[in-house]
Amino acid sequence: MTLIELLTVVSIIAVLLSILVPAINTARISVLNKQGSMQFQRFIHALRDYYSEYQSYPPFIPLTENEAAVFNLAAGDNGQNFIRALTGKEPGGAPLTDEHLALNPKRVVFLETSAEDFFREENTGDRDESHLADIFNNKDIFILLENPTDENRRIPKNIFPS
């Protein structure tokens, strides 16, 4: 094999790789987006089931008094209370303590969590079972809740841009 043939083969392989790598990366991002969407669908269904059982949503701490229907799961105890209310267990899997039993008095499991649902520490990669995160490891998860029968839980129309 001559040097020209070898360079030709290498250049053909380089061209093929330059076509394949972006396509593979696009497919990977598409899969992650779909996984994130499915994760939030699980959260939504769990919240709906919770509402069906208790006729109210879990008590969350609002971001501000003016936006009583917008909740950040990374703020305060919201993430841990979300886990307690929807799994019927303490973060980490222990049974609900008497202090938190009001969040899910019947200890009904509305949501099964997996390792991918929890925040991954940047340095160690360990999962923190007390903080939820999306598939991209974002802890700032916001929930909009609306209960038409409760004026305090109605979504203010000014949240959505026109």
Side-chain angles (χ1 to χ4, degrees):
M1 188 179 258
T2 67
L3 182 60
I4 294 179
E5 290 172 332
L6 183 63
L7 289 174
T8 304
V9 169
V10 169
S11 65
I12 290 172
I13 291 173
V15 167
L16 289 174
L17 284 176
S18 69
I19 293 170
L20 284 176
V21 169
I24 291 171
N25 196 34
T26 301
R28 186 181 64 80
I29 290 172
S30 176
V31 166
L32 285 175
N33 284 334
K34 185 65 176 173
Q35 285 178 330
S37 174
M38 296 301 292
Q39 180 184 39
F40 284 105
Q41 287 297 321
R42 288 182 24 246
F43 292 168
I44 289 167
H45 288 296
L47 280 168
R48 286 181 181 158
D49 292 344
Y50 184 98
Y51 187 85
S52 293
E53 182 69 29
Y54 296 117
Q55 284 69 51
S56 69
Y57 290 109
F60 295 121
I61 303 164
L63 288 176
T64 67
E65 291 180 23
N66 296 336
E67 298 177 353
V70 182
F71 305 93
N72 181 352
L73 291 186
D77 292 333
N78 279 346
Q80 294 172 1
N81 286 342
F82 185 85
I83 294 168
R84 290 177 181 117
L86 298 181
T87 64
K89 300 175 184 172
E90 291 289 333
L96 274 180
T97 61
D98 291 339
E99 175 187 354
H100 300 118
L101 193 57
L103 293 168
N104 188 340
K106 298 177 186 177
R107 293 186 172 109
V108 177
V109 178
F110 300 104
L111 176 70
E112 292 285 343
T113 55
S114 64
E116 288 75 27
D117 293 330
F118 298 108
F119 182 70
R120 186 176 51 257
E121 295 292 339
E122 310 283 330
N123 300 332
T124 62
D126 294 337
R127 297 287 179 170
D128 178 0
E129 291 193 12
S130 63
H131 289 95
L132 288 172
D134 68 6
I135 201 73
F136 298 101
N137 207 39
N138 297 315
K139 272 201 302 191
D140 286 326
I141 299 173
F142 295 86
I143 295 179
L144 294 173
L145 296 177
E146 180 169 73
N147 180 354
T149 61
D150 183 356
E151 288 297 319
N152 294 329
R153 296 260 180 155
R154 296 196 97 169
I155 298 173
K157 301 304 178 204
N158 62 356
I159 290 176
F160 303 104
S162 20

